Amino acid sequence: ELKVEQNPLFLSMQEGKNYTIYCNYSTTSDRLYWYRQDPGKSLESLFVLLSNGAVKQEGRLMASLDTKARLSTLHITAAVHDLSATYFCAAPGNTGKLIFGQGTTLQVKP
Amino acid sequence: SAVISQKPSRDICQRGTSLTIQCQVDSQVTMMFWYRQQPGQSLTLIATANQGSEATYESGFVIDKFPISRPNLTFSTLTVSNMSPEDSSIYLCSARDRDSYEQYFGPGTRLTVT
């Protein structure tokens, strides 16, 4: 059974700093999803990584995928307060259903 | 991209009653899913809604408690039956784009059971 684990679960950082969120998954998968959720809101799709070595960037966020290591990372560069949210990774299990990690709550302090 | 709407957006229900949540997608999609998100928690998949056939339920979820319909490629309903306070949660509809790997989420239905 596919398991997806994120760390850290909570991250408090100062504006301008860099940090990385890690997402490990337990069984082979050729793609990986990242979502953002603001309090009281639904999920916003950030990235879909479709192959080993895939790297995608949007603004201060960059995601990568290593299928051999079963690891994806979400790197935050020079964090700003607007990035404060909960970030989820998800991997597809059998039949394509998405299994989610626990979520990482990011708090960026001015 | 697919835009998903859900009704109702929120509801407060009494113990023992049932609530049906509707999910409408603005385009045909290959797959539709129902998730539950309890306060401060991650998303847990309830079931995959199959068009024209019975839904596929995940471990811990049963059809009698969460009957699901999917009469066509753009619409699905989830009923939460015989509710208890433990069913208080956000219920999210999700859909997979038929031409890509993108998976979208509806705005959610916030359910409170008293």
Side-chain angles (χ1 to χ4, degrees), chain A residues 75-89:
Chain A
H75 187 72
I76 302 150
T77 301
V80 294
H81 180 69
D82 286 352
L83 289 179
S84 298
T86 298
Y87 293 85
F88 291 97
C89 66

Side-chain angles (χ1 to χ4, degrees), chain A residues 85-110:
Chain A
T86 298
Y87 293 85
F88 291 97
C89 66
N94 56 350
T95 73
K97 59 192 180 185
L98 282 189
I99 305 301
F100 281 78
Q102 310 98 308
T104 298
T105 298
L106 173 64
Q107 184 181 80
V108 181
K109 299 178 179 178

Side-chain angles (χ1 to χ4, degrees), chain A residues 8-91:
Chain A
L9 301 185
F10 183 79
L11 180 54
S12 180
M13 56 193 298
Q14 297 228 307
E15 280 192 330
K17 298 292 187 183
N18 304 332
Y19 210 84
T20 300
I21 299 170
Y22 297 88
C23 175
N24 290 91
Y25 52 97
S26 61
T27 63
T28 303
S29 177
D30 60 358
R31 60 186 189 273
L32 195 288
Y33 297 71
W34 285 97
Y35 291 90
R36 168 180 172 149
Q37 187 177 41
D38 292 295
K41 305 290 185 182
S42 187
L43 275 73
E44 173 193 354
S45 178
L46 293 175
F47 302 108
V48 183
L49 303 167
L50 296 176
S51 61
N52 185 42
V55 177
K56 289 194 173 181
Q57 183 164 3
E58 180 74 32
R60 300 174 188 274
L61 300 178
M62 184 174 71
S64 65
L65 177 62
D66 181 343
T67 58
K68 294 179 182 177
R70 297 178 187 165
L71 171 69
S72 180
T73 60
L74 181 66
H75 187 72
I76 302 150
T77 301
V80 294
H81 180 69
D82 286 352
L83 289 179
S84 298
T86 298
Y87 293 85
F88 291 97
C89 66

